[in-house]
Amino acid sequence: EDQVTQSPEALRLQEGESSSLNCSYTVSGLRGLFWYRQDPGKGPEFLFTLYSAGEEKEKERLKATLTKKESFLHITAPKPEDSATYLCAVLANQAGTALIFGKGTTLSVSS
Amino acid sequence: GAVVSQHPSWVICKSGTSVKIECRSLDFQATTMFWYRQFPKQSLMLMATSNEGSKATYEQGVEKDKFLINHASLTLSTLTVTSAHPEDSSFYICSASGQSSYNSPLHFGNGTRLTVT
């Protein structure tokens, strides 16, 4: 069964304190791994797609990496506006299938 | 970038009534639309997948007669919660995928907060 597990469930950081969020997955043929940001009461906002092991993507203070079993979202020198829930999702290698989401990591950054 | 619009953003209804939620793709043709439900502090759970012009495919445990999905055009899908009950109160989110988006991110609407009293 395809599964996505994110850790930790919640993370509190001081402004400027770098850290990483983990997403481990098992899927029958990975078409893509997605990272989204979700603010309270909003839909997920796309951040990155990773397709193959070894791939890395960067956007401002965020960097996503991918191995054959897991992905990391590294947050460098976070700011309070980075506070949100970060969702990881996988897309299996079958046309027309939906994303399978993890439960997310809720990040709180205090100044 | 691609935009998905969802309406209404929130709705309160009385138990036993029906509520319709619309999901529109604004700048691309959505061949496939997905409906998710999210309970507080939980992940998005897929309810159903709909392809334009055909019947929706429902996930196990989702009542198709209660959650009616219509995908009548390449830019519009609707979810109707029939005879709503308080346990149907949740955050409903749609996402859309276009013909050329085999590996592209699925775009999400901003969700609809349904409260059944």
Side-chain angles (χ1 to χ4, degrees), chain A residues 5 12 14 28 38 47 59-60 71-72 74 88 102:
Chain A
T5 304
R12 290 183 181 275
Q14 290 289 319
S28 51
Q38 187 178 26
L47 293 174
K59 179 181 178 181
E60 297 180 356
S71 176
F72 291 93
H74 307 278
C88 171

Side-chain angles (χ1 to χ4, degrees), chain A:
Chain A
E1 183 184 343
D2 300 334
Q3 224 170 13
V4 179
T5 304
Q6 289 187 249
S7 63
E9 287 186 17
L11 181 62
R12 290 183 181 275
L13 299 174
Q14 290 289 319
E15 184 172 4
E17 180 187 0
S18 302
S19 188
S20 295
L21 313 182
N22 177 264
C23 170
S24 61
Y25 64 92
T26 54
V27 65
S28 51
L30 180 71
R31 198 197 315 176
L33 185 141
F34 299 80
W35 282 97
Y36 288 87
R37 169 189 170 129
Q38 187 178 26
D39 292 300
K42 300 286 187 181
E45 175 190 341
F46 169 74
L47 293 174
F48 303 108
T49 309
L50 301 166
Y51 297 112
S52 56
E55 190 175 359
E56 297 183 355
K57 294 269 180 78
E58 277 188 76
K59 179 181 178 181
E60 297 180 356
R61 295 178 292 282
L62 300 176
K63 178 177 161 182
T65 61
L66 181 65
T67 72
K68 288 186 178 179
K69 294 183 179 180
E70 59 190 349
S71 176
F72 291 93
L73 184 65
H74 307 278
I75 303 177
T76 302
K79 297 182 178 181
E81 53 261 43
D82 295 322
S83 298
T85 296
Y86 290 86
L87 298 170
C88 171
V90 297
L91 191 61
N93 196 17
Q94 183 179 347
T97 55
L99 291 172
I100 301 167
F101 281 87
K103 289 187 177 181
T105 294
T106 299
L107 173 66
S108 299
V109 182
S110 54
S111 55

Side-chain angles (χ1 to χ4, degrees), chain B:
Chain B
V3 178
V4 175
S5 174
Q6 196 170 333
H7 178 81
S9 55
W10 60 271
V11 58
I12 301 173
C13 71
K14 291 187 176 180
S15 187
T17 62
S18 296
V19 173
K20 181 184 283 190
I21 301 169
E22 292 186 350
C23 179
R24 294 180 184 274
S25 58
L26 297 185
D27 57 358
F28 68 102
Q29 294 187 323
T31 51
T32 306
M33 285 190 173
F34 305 91
W35 287 95
Y36 291 85
R37 181 166 52 184
Q38 186 178 33
F39 292 105
K41 300 195 177 183
Q42 296 294 314
S43 185
L44 281 73
M45 298 300 295
L46 180 67
M47 298 175 66
T49 302
S50 74
N51 293 295
E52 185 264 337
S54 61
K55 288 184 179 180
T57 302
Y58 290 81
E59 295 299 299
Q60 194 172 9
V62 178
E63 300 175 56
K64 60 181 180 181
D65 294 329
K66 181 171 185 60
F67 297 99
L68 301 179
I69 291 172
N70 185 293
H71 192 165
S73 77
L74 285 171
T75 59
L76 175 64
S77 176
T78 60
L79 167 67
T80 301
V81 183
T82 62
S83 186
H85 291 287
E87 57 264 32
D88 298 324
S89 299
S90 187
F91 192 53
Y92 292 86
I93 308 174
C94 71
S95 70
S97 175
Q99 288 176 325
S100 61
S101 59
Y102 183 80
N103 278 333
S104 297
L106 299 178
H107 304 284
F108 287 82
N110 260 335
T112 297
R113 172 72 59 194
L114 170 63
T115 302
V116 184
T117 61

